[in-house]
Amino acid sequence: MTGTATAQVDVRGLAVSFASVHAVDGVDLRVGAGGSVALVGRNGAGKSTTLRVLGGVIPPSAGEVVVAGVDAVREPRRAREVVGYCPDVGGLIPRATPWEHLQLSAKLRGMTGWEERARDLLDRFDLMGAADRVTAGFSHGMGRRLSVLLAAFHEPGVLLLDEPFDGVDPLGVEATLEEIRRARLGGAAVLVSTHLLDLAVQACDEAVVLRAGRVVAASPSSELSGDAGRARYRELLS
């Protein structure tokens, strides 16, 4: 995996258990500045749980987790400040508009001069026309686009996107892919969790295949492309 010397994400021996269920079991993961890794696997493989730990949302049962130089185990609040996290579900305030979400994010992070970037993102994600509508009336795809936008808004050193393509139309997919490219060019490490293998290959240079909470393969994502790649992927999951 990318960037072992200057890793923006450095995970060693990560384990997460819920009662007797081992959701993540001994995962190692490193992503350097400008690197991108896709976490792929079936539902329940541990992808979302891994990202929640990296985002400081839930604590691990064991292991070391460092994001953008912050120990996410000892300082989960600081971890939440230095990463941009798009959760797989939820995360939006139903009675708030996209513009109000951006205002709140800017205030909490002490951002100044943020309005131009906010308008640019709303335009690129085709949400400018809905900027003053409450999110309770949004379609699933619109909510996904807004969640990605909010994660990237403050240009974090680590961008975590959990199922960002789920239910998103082609224009939204392209906007997300472009934001991933921009984040990487700015030096961010990007992790994308998705069950859509073709988009994982497009979004990231490397792929980590999880099965039952464990890493079963890590390789250039191109090795999972095409018919041969999809066949190999099915073998890894069986």
Side-chain angles (χ1 to χ4, degrees):
M1 281 164 275
T2 62
T4 56
T6 57
Q8 282 284 78
V9 173
D10 193 351
V11 176
R12 304 178 188 224
L14 176 63
V16 182
S17 297
F18 302 105
S20 60
V21 177
H22 301 297
V24 180
D25 190 5
V27 166
D28 293 334
L29 182 66
R30 292 176 184 82
V31 190
S36 57
V37 171
L39 301 181
V40 294
R42 289 175 173 165
N43 293 338
K47 306 185 301 296
S48 293
T49 301
T50 298
L51 291 191
R52 288 177 189 137
V53 173
L54 268 60
V57 178
I58 61 172
S61 303
E64 301 175 11
V65 180
V66 177
V67 289
V70 174
D71 187 326
V73 179
R74 292 187 173 88
E75 300 182 272
R77 182 173 178 177
R78 281 276 294 129
R80 291 193 291 271
E81 293 173 356
V82 299
V83 307
Y85 173 53
C86 165
D88 58 337
V89 292
L92 299 179
I93 304 168
R95 299 185 67 83
T97 68
W99 191 256
E100 288 169 339
H101 278 85
L102 289 160
Q103 283 180 315
L104 178 60
S105 179
K107 182 176 181 180
L108 291 174
R109 298 180 183 280
M111 297 169 64
T112 59
W114 54 270
E115 292 88 351
E116 182 177 355
R117 174 160 173 78
R119 293 189 187 95
D120 175 62
L121 284 168
L122 287 168
D123 184 58
R124 288 195 285 111
F125 280 84
D126 195 26
L127 289 169
M128 185 64 80
D132 296 316
R133 286 172 48 192
V134 297
T135 62
F138 278 17
S139 68
H140 178 72
M142 291 173 70
R144 288 282 76 204
R145 282 184 274 142
L146 180 57
S147 292
V148 172
L149 182 161
L150 291 169
F153 178 44
H154 60 292
E155 300 178 285
V158 175
L159 182 60
L160 309 172
L161 304 179
D162 195 354
E163 297 293 354
F165 306 114
D166 184 41
V168 176
D169 61 32
L171 289 177
V173 167
E174 183 53 42
T176 298
L177 292 172
E178 176 60 23
E179 195 54 40
I180 290 171
R181 287 191 287 266
R182 289 176 182 235
R184 294 180 61 194
L185 285 172
V190 180
L191 284 95
V192 177
S193 165
T194 180
H195 64 280
L196 302 171
L197 187 61
D198 290 343
L199 287 174
V201 171
Q202 289 185 56
C204 299
D205 290 338
E206 299 191 42
V208 172
V209 182
L210 296 175
R211 185 180 69 197
R214 295 183 179 183
V215 174
V216 294
S219 67
S221 59
S222 58
E223 293 185 7
L224 298 180
S225 65
D227 292 341
R230 285 189 286 273
R232 179 170 182 259
Y233 179 61
R234 288 192 293 271
E235 289 176 3
L236 290 168
L237 296 183
S238 62

